[in-house]
Amino acid sequence: MYEVDQQDRVVELGDVPQSSIGAPIPVVLADEHRVALAYYMENTPPDWDGKSVRVRGPLTDGELVALVLFKDPIAHMFGPPNDEAFAGHPLAGRGLEPYAAFRIENSSWIRRLERMNSVHPYHRPERFWELQHLIFAFHDSTFECVCGAYEIKTARGPIAEMIPQMVAMLGWNRE
């Protein structure tokens, strides 16, 4: 993980579909040029009584799925913290919370990546100024990505069946 300083500012993303609070089952597929993320969206049935447990798995049919494509990624990480250890994230005291998506303005991680790249003979610091540090906080994991842009679409079905769509998003499908 990275260390933060006083410049990092957490901003919640309003255009990102809410992940399932209980079981988003996020999946990441990546290469050097793109990263695709899929997760179950919050989709509480109107007749749910709030007392029973709704179990979902990778093959649960009929679920709403968010598919996020991160363009021009520089770095990404997927793992801890989960919702129970979220207070241990270096940005937790700045408004970062579980079950939501955020952009980190003046990101320490981006500034660190820029400094690391500064030894390159053709280093251009302005290239890093256009990047975004995004965080998707799920129930059991957190996904972070430094990228140029992202786009979101939604689908319906088991998350396991989203893999071909993710492959297409990465441009790996044969013409």
Side-chain angles (χ1 to χ4, degrees):
M1 181 130 317
Y2 49 88
E3 292 184 26
V4 300
D5 59 25
Q6 296 306 313
Q7 296 180 51
D8 296 77
R9 194 168 82 87
V10 176
V11 177
E12 189 165 356
L13 296 172
D15 64 340
V16 174
Q18 172 66 54
S19 66
S20 167
I21 302 298
I25 309 178
V27 175
V28 177
L29 190 58
D31 65 19
E32 291 180 319
H33 306 288
R34 289 176 216 82
V35 176
L37 169 69
Y39 60 87
Y40 284 140
M41 295 165 48
E42 185 62 28
N43 185 23
T44 304
D47 61 342
W48 184 57
D49 63 5
K51 297 176 185 172
S52 59
V53 175
R54 199 164 160 250
V55 179
R56 283 190 242 190
L59 298 174
T60 303
D61 205 6
E63 295 295 323
L64 286 170
V65 178
L67 295 158
V68 187
L69 175 64
F70 300 91
K71 298 177 180 180
D72 302 317
I74 301 299
H76 67 275
M77 60 181 138
F78 184 41
N82 65 11
D83 62 341
E84 294 167 339
F86 209 75
H89 191 287
L91 293 168
R94 312 248 177 115
L96 192 71
E97 300 174 347
Y99 320 119
F102 304 89
R103 180 180 59 254
I104 309 306
E105 295 180 351
N106 300 312
S107 167
S108 292
W109 191 20
I110 292 175
R111 287 181 278 124
R112 181 178 176 103
L113 291 168
E114 187 274 328
R115 283 191 308 275
M116 185 170 44
N117 191 70
S118 67
V119 299
H120 191 287
Y122 300 110
H123 175 67
R124 292 188 349 234
E126 64 275 5
R127 180 172 179 252
F128 290 82
W129 302 342
E130 299 168 359
L131 297 175
Q132 303 179 68
H133 174 185
L134 303 172
I135 300 178
F136 287 67
F138 299 111
H139 180 79
D140 290 322
S141 60
T142 301
F143 174 80
E144 300 194 36
C145 187
V146 171
C147 64
Y150 67 96
E151 53 185 55
I152 302 168
K153 65 180 187 175
T154 59
R156 187 175 289 277
I159 203 145
E161 292 181 10
M162 297 299 128
I163 304 299
Q165 288 188 51
M166 296 171 76
V167 166
M169 291 168 74
L170 295 177
W172 295 354
N173 49 344
R174 295 180 191 207
E175 304 301 318

